[in-house]
Amino acid sequence: MSAKGRRTEYLRGEGRSPDSGWYGNGREDWAVSSSQLPIGETGILVSRLLWFLCFLALNTLCIPAALAGKKAKSAGPVKAPELELTGGRKLLYEGSISSQKQVQGRPRIWTRLFDAVVGEPRFHDLIEPYSVVTDSRGRIIVTDPGAGGIDIFDFARHKFKFISRQKGRRSLFYPQCVAVDAADNIYVTDSYSGTIFVFDANGKFRRQIGYLGDGEGYFERPTGIAVDSQTHRIYVSDTLGNHIYVLDIEGHILQKIGQRGAGDGEFNYPTELRLEDNKLFVVDAMNFRVQVFDLSGKFLHAIGSVDHGQVQLFRPKGIGVDSEGHLYVVDGMSDVVQVFDRQGRLLYYFGRPGTGLGDFQLPTGLFIDDKDRVYVVDSYNRRVQVFQYFGVKGK
């Protein structure tokens, strides 16, 4: 299948039509009370009113669309970013996600007519997205600290859900990172309350991990989270505590990995986590590197360093691993995504500061699904951008 054919439905967002400024003439004719008219004339009046509304709706739908079509034709198409890589590899920009409106698909004509008359419904937009993951159903789950909740985009079924929890001191205040298990349960760290919230696949609250009472949690500042469904383990980075907690599935502490420092296995503000191929990847933010451990917590190697004052990763954020074992690291300061091989050698990077296609402003989270689709949270631009990686065939 061609790259173009693989593009998905959610990337074809519809633009809003501007409000119509058209008004009919002779509005004083409509000021006569229907009670003053015979029944036959009342029916004619209602009929004329319906025709008037339909005419208004058609003008609202068709005129802006025609003008937009002429404008687009004169401006020319915008070319989507595409990287041709070694060995026939390719990275292709697919689109972006920013609003509930994109989930509904193309509305039917009667829905468009109704919206033109009474106004479009209010859609939920991303405000300050931070982390992203996809589940086994193909749903895209995004934490939004600016909105105080989690957005679930289900493009296959044209459904959208926003999850929040307002329960006094046990509220979801500042959702940070997100992970899912094999049953599509959703795990979200709350850096403000120092706890982890667990919701089922339908968005129903199940439990809160780490709550000690009186609004306090036993994590100083939980940030990154990863779930191993095979071993029933939860891994959580405590950024201010400078270590990684290993919990059982109920939230009991089994192990702590690391301490404050710059040596192997030590941390200086650890943040994002990722489990891949029985390895735990940890973003060691202020040591400007990503450390790799086995599942027992044994240090294996590190990617990125400070060499003669030169920093390879200025502000590492979200991480992910593709089907060929390449490590993707968001650099929030440089507004790019860097890609490394298994030995830690920089292969290439993509992105640049800006608001256009493939540009970033303060990117944060990153996730790669089993189809090598790369999701990058473009936080300041209030969107999640999507790229498709095509590796070497047969691998």
Side-chain angles (χ1 to χ4, degrees):
M1 182 180 293
S2 65
K4 183 176 180 181
R6 294 177 63 137
R7 301 192 182 182
T8 48
E9 182 179 358
Y10 60 81
L11 306 171
R12 309 189 192 109
E14 295 280 323
R16 289 176 180 260
S17 297
D19 295 333
S20 174
W22 185 88
Y23 291 93
N25 294 322
R27 284 175 290 173
E28 65 279 0
D29 295 339
W30 302 101
V32 181
S33 171
S34 60
S35 62
Q36 300 173 349
L37 299 173
I39 296 178
E41 294 185 16
T42 302
I44 294 173
L45 179 62
V46 172
S47 177
R48 288 178 176 175
L49 178 60
L50 290 174
W51 278 109
F52 172 78
L53 291 176
C54 289
F55 183 71
L56 176 63
L58 288 172
N59 273 273
T60 305
L61 291 171
C62 298
I63 293 176
L67 293 176
K70 291 181 179 179
K71 184 177 180 180
K73 185 176 180 180
S74 61
V78 178
K79 181 174 176 57
E82 182 176 332
L83 279 178
E84 296 287 346
L85 307 170
T86 60
R89 297 175 176 89
K90 181 186 298 185
L91 184 75
L92 179 67
Y93 171 87
E94 285 205 334
S96 66
I97 305 163
S98 61
S99 173
Q100 172 190 358
K101 184 178 181 180
Q102 294 171 276
V103 179
Q104 70 173 4
R106 186 173 180 84
R108 296 180 179 181
I109 183 63
W110 293 114
T111 302
R112 297 175 67 191
L113 287 171
F114 182 80
D115 290 346
V117 174
V118 303
E120 288 188 334
R122 295 184 62 181
F123 295 102
H124 182 88
D125 297 330
L126 295 177
I127 298 175
E128 188 186 339
Y130 188 86
S131 182
V132 62
V133 72
T134 64
D135 64 11
S136 66
R137 307 180 189 182
R139 301 183 303 176
I140 302 166
I141 303 168
V142 183
T143 60
D144 192 340
I150 304 109
D151 301 271
I152 302 178
F153 297 89
D154 188 349
F155 292 97
R157 300 164 186 82
H158 301 295
K159 292 183 178 180
F160 173 87
K161 182 184 287 290
F162 179 74
I163 303 174
S164 63
R165 180 173 170 80
Q166 303 298 324
K167 292 289 183 180
R169 292 181 176 179
R170 303 196 69 170
S171 298
L172 178 63
F173 292 103
Y174 202 81
Q176 198 83 15
C177 292
V178 61
V180 295
D181 62 19
D184 290 337
N185 294 307
I186 302 168
Y187 299 75
V188 180
T189 55
D190 186 337
S191 59
Y192 182 86
S193 68
T195 61
I196 300 168
F197 287 79
V198 183
F199 302 88
D200 67 16
N202 296 317
K204 183 178 180 180
F205 173 78
R206 287 305 185 188
R207 63 187 184 279
Q208 190 174 2
I209 297 173
Y211 183 75
L212 298 178
D214 199 29
E216 297 293 330
Y218 58 60
F219 305 108
E220 291 187 58
R221 187 183 175 89
T223 306
I225 187 166
V227 181
D228 188 340
S229 295
Q230 291 185 340
T231 61
H232 305 288
R233 298 288 186 266
I234 303 171
Y235 296 81
V236 183
S237 63
D238 193 337
T239 300
L240 296 183
N242 287 296
H243 47 245
I244 310 301
Y245 280 103
V246 183
L247 316 173
D248 66 18
I249 206 68
E250 297 301 323
H252 304 111
I253 298 176
L254 302 175
Q255 182 185 0
K256 286 201 298 186
I257 303 171
Q259 61 182 3
R260 179 74 180 268
D264 294 344
E266 297 178 338
F267 304 112
N268 190 4
Y269 296 111
T271 56
E272 304 272 350
L273 303 178
R274 186 69 63 206
L275 284 172
E276 196 73 33
D277 295 330
N278 293 319
K279 296 176 183 177
L280 175 66
F281 295 78
V282 181
V283 173
D284 188 8
M286 298 311 296
N287 281 328
F288 311 106
R289 63 185 180 181
V290 175
Q291 296 198 65
V292 186
F293 300 81
D294 65 17
L295 297 186
S296 69
K298 179 183 177 181
F299 171 82
L300 298 177
H301 64 274
I303 297 172
S305 61
V306 180
D307 186 15
H308 302 292
Q310 298 297 316
V311 178
Q312 194 172 19
L313 295 170
F314 285 98
R315 190 61 62 84
K317 292 282 190 178
I319 52 177
V321 180
D322 68 21
S323 61
E324 295 183 330
H326 301 145
L327 176 67
Y328 294 60
V329 184
V330 171
D331 192 326
M333 182 172 288
S334 302
D335 294 318
V336 300
V337 177
Q338 299 189 47
V339 184
F340 300 85
D341 65 13
R342 296 174 187 268
Q343 288 72 42
R345 295 172 297 199
L346 178 64
L347 298 175
Y348 64 95
Y349 64 91
F350 61 94
R352 63 182 180 181
T355 60
L357 305 181
D359 297 343
F360 303 116
Q361 290 197 91
L362 298 179
T364 52
L366 182 145
F367 183 77
I368 302 176
D369 67 16
D370 58 2
K371 297 179 177 62
D372 276 343
R373 195 171 287 125
V374 183
Y375 301 84
V376 182
V377 178
D378 187 11
S379 185
Y380 197 74
N381 284 328
R382 300 184 177 188
R383 62 188 180 185
V384 176
Q385 299 204 64
V386 187
F387 303 82
Q388 179 67 60
Y389 174 68
F390 298 96
V392 176
K393 294 181 179 180
K395 286 193 175 184

